[in-house]
């Protein structure tokens, strides 16, 4: 109805192409416009200025002869100041963009090995964007952004890559586990060595304290009781220790039964055995 009266409405984010008798006349901005049809004015078409997205799937092969599917996402829009070029000069915008994407990807990916394709996908996207900007700007389109959103190798290649990765991780885990067990064994051995060293040091200090105590006892007894010899003092010390041991065995409730010869003669025998043992030790270890 509006067209019949010579009035049209252009929606927001759109422009309309105005012609007069089939010749381009003007680009109509969003709003209401008067086009008296009696003077040959008409709307040849409308053009959206919104950002549009085109996903392009391109199959190619890498330098190491692996076929991959590269999916590129191109975001583009028509420029308002070049709306006439965008409307008249290009009949199939999406097909033109797709052709340029195919050309750049199939020229870039075969120069790279498969791992490098994944690592340098941003460089590939930048190369596609640069080529599209140079080509599409002459047709009145702006390339907003280009992304490489997916790289899909062949299924068998993908499975092999996963197996290689899994084997490498298992090998690393085995090495780490072996290294951990090695550290545990070393620490355990160091702990045992340190424990034995400290135990031996304690025994040595204990024996040294016993020797010092016996020496002090013999000297003190010899000074306080005239006429006694070191042998007499040692016999008395041994007898005293013997009775102390017997007392401890009887006083301990959890001690097992111990059968030993007991009597006045047994004390003498024990003293003789201890003394002979000390003398033999001195003979073999001067």
């Amino acid at each position: 109805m509006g067209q019949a009266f010579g009035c049209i409405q252009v929606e927001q984010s759109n422009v309309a192409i105005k012609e007069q008798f089939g010749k381009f006349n003007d680009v109509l901005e969003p709003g209401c416009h008067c086009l008296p049809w009696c003077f040959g004015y008409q709307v040849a078409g409308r053009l959206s200025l919104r950002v549009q997205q085109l996903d392009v799937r391109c199959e190619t092969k890498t330098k190491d002869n692996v076929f991959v599917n590269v999916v590129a996402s191109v975001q583009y829009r028509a420029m308002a100041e070049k709306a006439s070029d965008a409307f008249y000069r290009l009949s199939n915008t999406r097909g033109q963009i797709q052709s340029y994407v195919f050309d750049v990807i199939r020229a870039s990916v075969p120069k790279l090995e498969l791992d490098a394709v994944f690592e340098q996908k941003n460089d590939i996207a930048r190369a596609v964007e640069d080529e599209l900007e140079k080509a599409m700007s002459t047709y009145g389109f702006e390339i907003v952004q280009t992304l490489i959103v997916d790289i899909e190798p062949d299924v068998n290649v993908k499975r092999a890559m996963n197996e290689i990765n899994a084997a490498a991780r298992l090998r690393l885990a085995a090495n780490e586990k072996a290294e951990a067990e090695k550290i545990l064994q070393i620490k355990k051995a160091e702990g045992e060595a340190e424990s034995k060293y400290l135990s031996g040091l304690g025994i040595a200090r204990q024996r040294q304290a016993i020797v010092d105590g016996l020496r002090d006892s013999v000297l003190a007894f010899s000074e306080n009781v005239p006429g006694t010899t070191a042998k007499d003092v040692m016999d008395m010390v041994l007898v005293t220790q013997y009775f102390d041991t017997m007392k401890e065995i009887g006083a301990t409730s959890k001690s097992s039964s111990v059968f030993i010869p007991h009597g006045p003669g047994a004390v003498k025998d024990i003293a003789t055995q201890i003394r002979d043992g000390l003398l033999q030790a001195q003979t073999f270890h001067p």
Side-chain angles (χ1 to χ4, degrees):
M1 181 66 68
Q3 182 74 19
F5 289 100
C7 295
I8 66 164
Q9 177 180 324
V10 180
E11 292 78 9
Q12 184 65 34
S13 299
N14 289 270
V15 293
I17 304 301
K18 176 183 175 183
E19 291 181 348
Q20 185 179 21
F21 296 113
K23 181 181 178 182
F24 171 74
N25 181 265
D26 195 8
V27 176
L28 303 180
E29 299 290 337
C32 183
H33 300 274
C34 181
L35 272 76
W37 59 270
C38 57
F39 294 104
Y41 292 106
Q42 65 175 355
V43 174
R46 299 172 186 268
L47 189 65
S48 175
L49 301 181
R50 295 177 181 175
V51 176
Q52 303 179 59
Q53 179 168 309
L54 173 63
D55 293 332
V56 182
R57 178 180 293 270
C58 177
E59 183 180 11
T60 183
K61 76 170 186 174
T62 61
K63 187 177 181 180
D64 46 355
N65 295 323
V66 177
F67 281 89
V68 294
N69 285 316
V70 181
V71 181
S73 179
V74 180
Q75 298 175 355
Y76 66 98
R77 65 183 175 188
M79 294 183 288
E81 61 275 14
K82 293 184 178 181
S84 60
D85 291 336
F87 185 79
Y88 288 105
R89 296 190 61 183
L90 201 59
S91 61
N92 187 356
T93 305
R94 300 174 73 87
Q96 186 78 0
I97 293 176
Q98 187 175 16
S99 298
Y100 281 109
V101 172
F102 281 166
D103 181 66
V104 176
I105 290 179
R106 287 174 177 170
S108 302
V109 174
K111 299 178 182 178
L112 304 172
E113 294 184 353
L114 181 60
D115 293 338
V117 173
F118 284 94
E119 295 173 359
Q120 302 181 25
K121 69 173 187 176
N122 291 335
D123 296 336
I124 298 174
R126 192 176 301 109
V128 173
E129 184 174 345
D130 292 342
E131 186 67 23
L132 285 175
E133 283 182 354
K134 290 188 295 183
M136 299 303 295
S137 61
T138 60
Y139 297 109
F141 287 92
E142 176 189 6
I143 303 301
V144 178
Q145 192 171 16
T146 302
L147 302 173
I148 301 297
V149 296
D150 197 8
I151 300 173
E152 299 178 356
D154 184 76
V155 176
N156 295 327
V157 176
K158 188 184 298 185
R159 185 183 301 111
M161 293 174 63
N162 291 334
E163 291 177 356
I164 293 172
N165 192 7
R169 291 182 181 275
L170 288 175
R171 183 170 63 252
L172 180 60
N175 291 336
E176 293 294 334
K177 183 178 179 180
E179 189 67 22
E181 292 179 353
K182 176 183 175 182
I183 294 174
L184 289 176
Q185 293 294 332
I186 292 175
K187 292 300 181 181
K188 183 179 179 181
E190 291 177 352
E192 291 179 354
E194 185 69 17
S195 176
K196 291 179 180 179
Y197 170 76
L198 294 176
S199 177
L201 187 62
I203 293 173
R205 290 178 178 176
Q206 180 185 15
R207 292 176 178 176
Q208 183 64 38
I210 292 173
V211 171
D212 293 341
L214 290 174
R215 184 182 66 249
D216 294 341
S217 298
V218 171
L219 293 176
F221 196 87
S222 299
E223 291 176 357
N224 295 327
V225 182
T228 59
T229 64
K231 177 180 177 300
D232 297 332
V233 176
M234 287 300 301
D235 289 341
M236 187 190 69
V237 170
L238 291 175
V239 170
T240 302
Q241 291 182 346
Y242 173 76
F243 283 112
D244 290 340
T245 303
M246 294 295 296
K247 180 180 178 182
E248 291 180 0
I249 292 175
T252 305
S253 60
K254 295 182 180 180
S255 61
S256 303
S257 299
V258 179
F259 296 93
I260 58 174
H262 178 63
V267 176
K268 182 178 180 181
D269 293 339
I270 293 173
T272 302
Q273 293 174 9
I274 295 174
R275 189 184 310 107
D276 293 342
L278 293 173
L279 291 175
Q280 291 176 6
Q282 292 178 0
T283 301
F284 287 106
H285 302 281

